[in-house]
Amino acid sequence: MIDLRSDTVTQPCAGMRDAMANALVGDDVYGDDPTVAALEAKICEITHKEAAVFVTSGTQSNLCALLSHCARGEEYIAGQDAHTYRYEAGGAAVLGGIQPQPIVFNAQGELPLDAIEAVIKPDDPHFAKTKLLCLENTQGGKALSLSYLAEATALARKHHLNCHLDGARLFNAALATNTSMDALCQPFDTVSICLSKGLGTPMGSVLVGSDELINRARRWRKMLGGGLRQSGIVAAAGLFALEHNVARLIEDHQHADAVARALNELTILEGAVAHTNMVFLNLPANMLNALQQHLKDANIIISGARWVFHKDVTSGDVDHVLEACRAFAKNPVN
Ligand SMILES: Cc1ncc(COP(=O)(O)O)c(C=O)c1O
């Protein structure tokens, strides 16, 4: 099966499994796990942040960040389709009494500056206290520019807001914009980076920031049930991924680009666009359903109009996907 539903579907390779099996471990709740410490130190080195905490998932990482920045009755600004707002079960509201203030992303995956400014509340007892601006990079595969990050965070600072970045796929953004990870992280107080998306580990994310914020996040992680014991076994997968799976992300971008170009040559499937490792199709629902069924019969799984390329999709797989799409285009509704 060629699985294009997400870059979270990858299998750990033999080298990663060896690294996990041979990891030195200790009880991380006591701060005794050398492999977790090594992973946290490595991410600090890459991002030029003071402190890091290894957490179970991107959702837990974002939630620890939101809870560390905002108290009950305070609010964070995020995109209407941001993962932190739309896809994390309302955790910040449920567990922290934190109010989200969603606004619509523009076509570049940015929160427009005037829209941000318009929702920042004045200090008035009618309103929740606006505390945090939360951006996402990549957003729907789109890599944000350094100049936008500088402008948006400067606006936030002007209004005394903190800044958090959901950088679940920040390595993709860094490669796509030819920018260093530390430059992309520099404007933010906290950044969440996932190891289980394109980097191909079975689980884990890392939240980085100042000593003070990460100490707070560690307390929240414990409260959320994310204080793990011999978690070096999974941290070892993260260290392996940082060494072996970062540079190759560019292949996923190339695959996505090649697929979008080829689809645009088939009149019926034209309108596809690629952003980093993702392709977005522009098809009416009935046509998409028919294509989904056709691809399933060719051992290709998609879950709609977003196709995600990752390390377990080879160039040969890309050829197979395109062959199946060409066959569909010849006879679209069977
Ligand atoms: C942009 C973004 N942020 C956060 C997450 C959450 O990560 P997790 O599934 O590890 O909780 C995801 C998951 O796909 C994501 O796409």
Side-chain angles (χ1 to χ4, degrees):
M1 277 290 180
I2 300 169
D3 193 340
L4 301 181
R5 287 172 301 170
S6 177
D7 47 10
T8 55
V9 300
T10 53
Q11 294 286 321
C13 66
M16 185 177 279
R17 286 171 191 264
D18 279 350
M20 295 172 76
N22 295 315
L24 290 178
V25 295
D27 186 331
D28 187 52
V29 173
Y30 289 112
D32 282 352
D33 193 301
T35 309
V36 172
L39 174 65
E40 290 173 348
K42 184 75 195 163
I43 294 273
C44 285
E45 185 191 314
I46 292 170
T47 58
H48 293 193
K49 294 291 190 202
E50 229 169 42
V53 59
F54 181 50
V55 291
T56 57
S57 66
T59 300
Q60 191 174 71
S61 190
N62 283 326
L63 182 55
C64 285
L66 293 173
L67 290 165
S68 300
H69 285 290
C70 303
R72 293 177 70 78
E74 296 182 341
E75 78 172 4
Y76 68 103
I77 299 170
Q80 185 73 40
D81 292 320
H83 211 278
T84 48
Y85 170 59
R86 188 158 179 175
Y87 298 102
E88 296 183 2
V94 175
L95 300 171
I98 303 167
Q99 169 169 291
Q101 169 60 71
I103 50 181
V104 177
F105 283 120
N106 68 15
Q108 287 76 46
E110 304 164 348
L111 297 179
L113 301 185
D114 54 350
I116 295 173
E117 196 148 35
V119 297
I120 297 174
K121 316 288 184 293
D123 184 5
D124 174 315
H126 286 91
F127 302 124
K129 278 190 193 165
T130 314
K131 271 314 252 295
L132 182 70
L133 174 65
C134 187
L135 299 178
E136 193 170 296
N137 197 12
T138 60
Q139 199 292 308
K142 293 166 197 151
L144 305 184
S145 71
L146 258 189
S147 58
Y148 168 74
L149 296 178
E151 280 170 0
T153 53
L155 174 65
R157 304 291 174 205
K158 192 175 104 185
H159 291 278
H160 310 291
L161 309 188
N162 278 356
C163 300
H164 170 68
L165 180 67
D166 177 356
R169 297 181 179 81
L170 197 60
F171 283 103
N172 295 85
L175 286 167
T177 55
N178 204 14
T179 310
S180 66
M181 286 288 282
D182 66 284
L184 292 175
C185 292
Q186 189 278 330
F188 295 91
D189 300 290
T190 49
V191 181
S192 168
I193 295 168
C194 289
L195 302 164
S196 60
K197 309 285 176 297
L199 296 189
T201 75
M203 61 176 285
S205 292
V206 183
L207 181 69
V208 293
S210 64
D211 279 332
E212 194 206 333
L213 278 163
I214 297 305
N215 277 340
R216 269 192 244 170
R218 268 184 201 283
R219 176 173 284 271
W220 284 116
R221 179 187 71 165
K222 186 77 184 88
M223 207 182 294
L224 295 170
L228 301 180
R229 303 297 176 174
Q230 286 70 29
S231 43
I233 290 183
V234 271
L239 283 166
F240 180 93
L242 291 175
E243 196 176 330
H244 300 281
N245 291 351
V246 173
R248 63 146 311 285
L249 289 172
I250 211 78
E251 286 169 35
D252 303 335
H253 299 186
Q254 287 161 353
H255 287 157
D257 186 57
V259 166
R261 280 170 194 272
L263 292 184
N264 279 299
E265 282 164 19
L266 306 171
T267 313
I268 194 160
L269 297 179
E270 71 189 1
V273 288
H275 300 296
T276 59
N277 64 329
M278 300 182 187
V279 171
F280 295 85
L281 278 80
N282 183 13
L283 285 182
N286 62 337
M287 186 75 82
L288 191 57
N289 288 339
L291 177 59
Q292 186 154 338
Q293 187 54 50
H294 175 89
L295 293 179
K296 194 171 165 206
D297 295 341
N299 288 332
I300 300 159
I301 318 178
I302 59 167
S303 60
R306 186 191 79 159
W307 298 3
V308 187
F309 294 82
H310 51 77
K311 74 170 189 61
D312 293 352
V313 179
T314 64
S315 299
D317 293 337
V318 168
D319 292 342
H320 179 66
V321 168
L322 290 178
E323 242 171 67
C325 289
R326 287 188 191 107
F328 176 80
K330 278 192 196 140
N331 188 13
V333 189
N334 288 309

